[in-house]
Amino acid sequence: MYFLAKRVGKYIVSEKLILMNPKFKSILSASQFTKSELSELLDLTSLIENKLQSRKQIPLLNEYILATMFFEPSTRTRLSFESAMHRLGGRVITAVGMQFSSMAKGETLFDTLKVLESYADICAIRHPVEGASALAAQTISIPVINAGDGAGEHPTQGLLDLYTIAHYKKLDEKPLNIGFVGDIKYGRTIHSLIQLLSHFDCHFTLISPKELQLDEKYISFLKKQKKEFLITEDLNKLSECDVAYVTRIQEERFIDHREFEKFHNYYIIDKEVVEKCKKDIIIMHPLPRLSEISTDVDDMPQAKYFHQAKNGLFTRMALLLYSLNINIK
Amino acid sequence: MYFLAKRVGKYIVSEKLILMNPKFKSILSASQFTKSELSELLDLTSLIENKLQSRKQIPLLNEYILATMFFEPSTRTRLSFESAMHRLGGRVITAVGMQFSSMAKGETLFDTLKVLESYADICAIRHPVEGASALAAQTISIPVINAGDGAGEHPTQGLLDLYTIAHYKKLDEKPLNIGFVGDIKYGRTIHSLIQLLSHFDCHFTLISPKELQLDEKYISFLKKQKKEFLITEDLNKLSECDVAYVTRIQEERFIDHREFEKFHNYYIIDKEVVEKCKKDIIIMHPLPRLSEISTDVDDMPQAKYFHQAKNGLFTRMALLLYSLNINIK
Amino acid sequence: MYFLAKRVGKYIVSEKLILMNPKFKSILSASQFTKSELSELLDLTSLIENKLQSRKQIPLLNEYILATMFFEPSTRTRLSFESAMHRLGGRVITAVGMQFSSMAKGETLFDTLKVLESYADICAIRHPVEGASALAAQTISIPVINAGDGAGEHPTQGLLDLYTIAHYKKLDEKPLNIGFVGDIKYGRTIHSLIQLLSHFDCHFTLISPKELQLDEKYISFLKKQKKEFLITEDLNKLSECDVAYVTRIQEERFIDHREFEKFHNYYIIDKEVVEKCKKDIIIMHPLPRLSEISTDVDDMPQAKYFHQAKNGLFTRMALLLYSLNINIK
């Protein structure tokens, strides 16, 4: 099975890494976590959020250096990591657009990483090619955090999404109906989040145009996990959900621009739609958004997408500590 | 009147902001300051300059993060802010060329700012569109410093210019004759400085080619403020000035390049010119300069343009403390 | 003689600088160091390497700011300096791609530097034009470290190479045979290293295609220094060497691409070649490498090119302290 294979694959990576540095843990895939590890991370994130209400810094990484190595641009993800490191008292060195430097002269990613590992204690890597972070974790002796690798994973986004849901809806208290709206086929944040949520008591309402439905391999995964799910094109089904996770239709996925035009305003979550939902629904979005959530929702208490972005800071602080095996107490 | 309207507009911004965060003050426009606020800022800047003579850091912002968000490049302004933050013990995160990231996917400035506000305690924004900083100050809950918004304002430049004049020429001790030379029509630093100086005892000598004379709205402003001024094309009038504020003819302002050619060496301040002026005149320039001040002036004691750049550091340190309402004593 | 002339030239620079700031020393050229200064630097670097085995930071530059000013991109050199500064507890401000900012408006390098000196306590400059760092050292009152100036020098690379050799092979204990392989004509790191090594007991084996042999002026230098050297095309001569310093054939040096094609796989150091060498030979490379060292060498104990990169960190920490005249004890 795809997920198990991936999990095993990633596990080998982790174990090889653990052998190299028994103290450290790389963050490569949403599938690498057990339920108890997830619970531990959620608790740690919550503790950090609480501590930051009365202070600006939790100085646990005072002498550490984080390298943010972004082989493709992603300003907000990069700044979220850098702010997280600063809030822990650490230092940051940054490489963006590295494709234009040594690698343009024909250097391999392996060599680039071997050199860069000397300069930092931990690194966050964004790369357009799937598996780049796993390669990094096998190559270098400092922990690696996958900050997005192409069509692959973006586990820190999945974890911050999970934390946001856990923050507003207690997990495992009663079953949660999680609604996904938009491009469910290509949205990698959805795929990561489904994997993470599969550890908890929830079922899924998957609302998308027929052409952008959940991929067969994820459907098999949900069946194997014995998770209920509803595949539908009907936005009205959102009224039964506890969470609405909305995604952008990604223009860059369509070869034929007329196809994109067809879908890009397919669902619009506006005030009227939200008012028909459960009163305590939370509206999430990984951002950036285009028109799929109207701005008249922004001031409604259900809108949580900007809080979600803020949770990225707490989550990444937790992951930095977790990777480096630094105890907060 | 243009200025009053602007001032009111900006004031509303400030007051809305003050309501959101009564402790903080955004720096949006040269027109937002009262005379007593300017005096307070000048004193604070002077205190900082003195303190930095015997030490490298005044660690008042140890746990704070400044975000420099530069939607158009301006290396020296950015580095001036970043150095100011470091000299106060704070941290910096930087976004340059952000137009190439999320916003390229169609995100609004509003959304970008809402996300970024989670990552920092104060931000300095440079944006090509006038009013972008005011929008930012209304959008986010951390103080905003306008680091230049298109044809709009660049208040920190205005304040460092004012500080430089105050440093070499006591304000309000006797009337000062401030000479402006060059492109008085389009030079936004001149417009900010005229507003700031209008609080003090001074009059203006405006030396420019006819086509680049001071705009009608600023002339009205000066009249309303009951400020004397002389509009002339004659560089000899500089001999009566206490300050010569020289600006670059900005090539990018001219559609017809022959027009630019006509003006760009119109006035050249060289050693000979300076020697005909008052002995204690100070020569200022917001930099970068081209040929409008010859390099043979650089070693003359009257040349203050590099000191002026250094004053940018002290001024921005003062503004960071002022915005965050941190007391230096 | 070229070297003496250069040395004198650089010396004048240094002395002028010393007059400006008797406390500081700029690092401009491999030729500026006496043997005793080199020994002092090697000892300091070694001390730093030892200290960093048990800790992450040697906080001697806590309130200092380093400006990395890269007028052409070189991510790894920049990050090496920045990491070095952070490991010393200091702060960093960074300007890359500055050619696109004020200088694009026609500003001179002199003016740019005069402004930037206000923002930092020391700077590392990379510039495409030879002599840019020397100009900087004459222009500004903070120490300048040359991080590479075009076809000129890259002294910090030379010093880290020297340190690597000193680390694995005791200098002056017995004569060392230093082999250079590849583009000996254009490789500026080779030229710096030859100058530095000429202070010590060693001779040279220069293996290159005829067209890429050592330039006449360096041959004269070696003769003047009474250093033995062998010029050859035969890679087998490597078997007598204690050090193999391999360089990339730089595509950008060839106008006719067919010329490049002819040379670029001329010598390949693979496992088989290394096994024919002395058992304790060390294989070095300034990186990035292409195919001139095969990856099957990477795991051999002789391969030291990644250690060499790491030594860049210790060397640059030593140079920051040395330039600023900060004593480690």
Side-chain angles (χ1 to χ4, degrees), chain A residues 177 205 207 230 232 234-241:
Chain A
N177 185 344
T205 300
I207 303 165
L230 172 70
T232 177
D234 180 6
L235 187 60
N236 288 317
K237 295 295 180 192
L238 204 60
S239 64
E240 295 157 27
C241 294

Side-chain angles (χ1 to χ4, degrees), chain C residues 215-230:
Chain C
D215 212 88
E216 190 48 50
K217 63 188 173 199
Y218 293 95
I219 290 178
S220 307
F221 171 76
L222 287 176
K223 286 179 179 163
K224 191 145 194 162
Q225 300 290 319
K226 303 210 165 57
K227 290 286 166 196
E228 280 175 49
F229 58 94
L230 172 71

Side-chain angles (χ1 to χ4, degrees), chain B residues 120-186:
Chain B
D121 303 301
I122 184 168
C123 67
I125 295 182
R126 175 88 162 211
H127 199 282
V129 176
E130 189 171 351
S133 291
L135 171 68
Q138 284 172 306
T139 303
I140 64 182
S141 58
I142 58 174
V144 172
I145 301 182
N146 181 356
D149 57 345
E153 294 253 6
H154 191 3
T156 65
Q157 176 73 44
L159 289 162
L160 77 87
D161 291 341
L162 181 68
Y163 178 71
T164 303
I165 295 172
H167 184 87
Y168 292 105
K169 307 279 169 194
K170 302 267 177 234
L171 294 172
D172 285 348
E173 217 174 67
K174 54 174 191 177
L176 290 176
N177 184 346
I178 314 288
F180 289 102
V181 181
D183 176 359
I184 296 182
K185 184 170 183 177
Y186 296 115

Side-chain angles (χ1 to χ4, degrees), chain C residues 227-244:
Chain C
K227 290 286 166 196
E228 280 175 49
F229 58 94
L230 172 71
I231 290 179
T232 177
E233 292 192 77
D234 181 7
L235 188 59
N236 289 317
K237 295 294 182 196
L238 203 60
S239 63
E240 296 157 26
C241 294
D242 301 295
V243 171

Side-chain angles (χ1 to χ4, degrees), chain A residues 56-57 73-76 78-80 82-83 86-87 89-90 248 287-290 298 306 309-310 313, chain B residues 62-65 91-95 98 100-102 105-107 110-112 114-116 118-121:
Chain A
K56 291 187 184 307
Q57 208 179 75
S74 177
T75 305
R76 73 177 58 192
R78 181 175 63 76
L79 293 185
S80 178
E82 297 185 7
S83 181
H86 286 303
R87 292 281 185 224
R248 183 170 63 94
L287 303 178
R289 74 167 153 179
L290 299 181
D298 292 2
F306 294 126
K310 179 143 202 169
L313 180 72
Chain B
N62 271 349
E63 305 205 330
Y64 287 76
I65 299 174
R91 311 299 192 105
V92 177
I93 57 175
T94 301
M98 282 165 57
F100 302 117
S101 191
S102 289
K105 296 175 189 157
E107 186 176 53
F110 178 89
D111 277 20
T112 301
K114 285 298 287 179
V115 172
L116 295 177
S118 311
Y119 305 152
D121 303 301

